[in-house]
Amino acid sequence: MGSHRRLAPTSGFNRGAGAALCVLSAAASALGALPAAAAPHDNTKAEVDRLYTEAEKATEAYNKAGENAGTLRRQVSDAQDRIARQQERINTMRESLGSLAGAQYRSGGIDPALALLFSDDPADYLDKAAALDRIGAHQADRLRDLQSAMRELSQERAEAIRKLADLDRSRKAVAAHKKTVEKKLAKARTLLNSLSYAARAAYDRASRDARGVIPDFGSALPASPRAAAAIAAARSVLGMPYIWGASGPSGFDCSGLMQWSYAQAGVHLPRTSQEQRYAGRRIPLSEARPGDLIVYRSDASHVAMYMGNGEVIHAPHPGAAVRYDPVNMLPVSSVTRV
């Protein structure tokens, strides 16, 4: 596939640059310093990494929008149930009021002066009138209850309409973020496919496992039994693929791995890395212990789990498996002890 032509210093990316230079470009950390001639490949790798970073940010936005949509769906469903129950209550109240009105009519609910005038037994009339007064007072209370129930129903319906509008916006946000992720990943794949076979293989090897060995985690103990259980869960899926929007068990994105791991310890974490940074007590990096969450970048768009001795486990990016990496692989934003 490749030729042996040399690249001019100012040339762009060229598929025929040579397998050796591609390997050096894609796996610099493993193979040592790069010669100047490998710069075009370096630029391609940097662009792929940038696209993966942007895709990861869009993935966390997708996760958040999806979480919002799920919450709103439940709220809309609950509101619909409340509306149905309230409507049933109102129907029952209306039937009761109708029965009272019928009873009043049958009991002679006419003008009191005329009723007294035509009554054969004034004493009997006065007894009936007293009963009708009680029915009227009871009916007035029922009417007030009905009016109150109808106001509540109207408010419930208005709230349900607002929730449905919010749900529609969340669904559109999910679709928009999904489109952004897929666009970034498609562009990254196109760039990777433009590399030579050797360069692409080297990049894939670097993505699967940057070092290929299990690091030394030192002797630090987990911060709690639940942290120990979460660590064990995360280690059990080492090597599982990064799948954007996934939270296990057959694939994970970064926050999905944290949520799933702590779920195995009986702890519910929020879905996104931005929310996970507030899921416990914030501590300095110098005090990090195994099981703590390490949140990266100023926008908190990536998260990993501290394992000890300067190492983390995380789901890095598309094309990469769950793996160990140095804690300083990216700028650390915060550390959270769950």
Side-chain angles (χ1 to χ4, degrees), residues 204-221:
D204 289 342
R205 283 195 299 274
S207 293
R208 283 194 298 272
D209 189 342
R211 291 159 295 180
V213 296
I214 296 177
D216 175 15
F217 299 128
S219 58
L221 296 176

Side-chain angles (χ1 to χ4, degrees), residues 89-90 93-98 100-101 104 135-151:
R89 179 181 171 223
I90 286 172
M93 294 170 74
R94 280 174 170 163
E95 290 174 4
S96 176
L97 282 166
L100 282 171
Q104 187 175 17
I135 292 175
H138 185 52
Q139 192 173 23
D141 289 341
R142 290 290 187 88
L143 280 169
R144 283 191 291 270
D145 290 343
L146 176 60
Q147 290 172 338
S148 176
M150 291 181 72
R151 281 195 298 270

Side-chain angles (χ1 to χ4, degrees), residues 4 17 38 54-55 86 100 135 157 163 172 201 214 321 334-335:
H4 296 286
E54 292 178 355
Q86 187 75 335
L100 282 171
I135 292 175
R157 283 177 170 161
K163 294 289 185 186
K172 289 177 179 177
I214 296 177
S334 61
V335 181

Side-chain angles (χ1 to χ4, degrees), residues 207-269:
S207 293
R208 283 194 298 272
D209 189 342
R211 291 159 295 180
V213 296
I214 296 177
D216 175 15
F217 299 128
S219 58
L221 296 176
S224 66
R226 61 179 177 271
I231 290 168
R235 294 184 71 168
S236 74
V237 293
L238 188 70
M240 296 299 290
Y242 179 103
I243 300 176
W244 73 271
S247 55
S250 57
F252 305 88
D253 58 27
C254 69
S255 57
L257 176 61
M258 301 301 107
Q259 186 185 54
W260 180 86
S261 298
Y262 264 97
Q264 309 318 298
V267 178
H268 174 72
L269 290 184

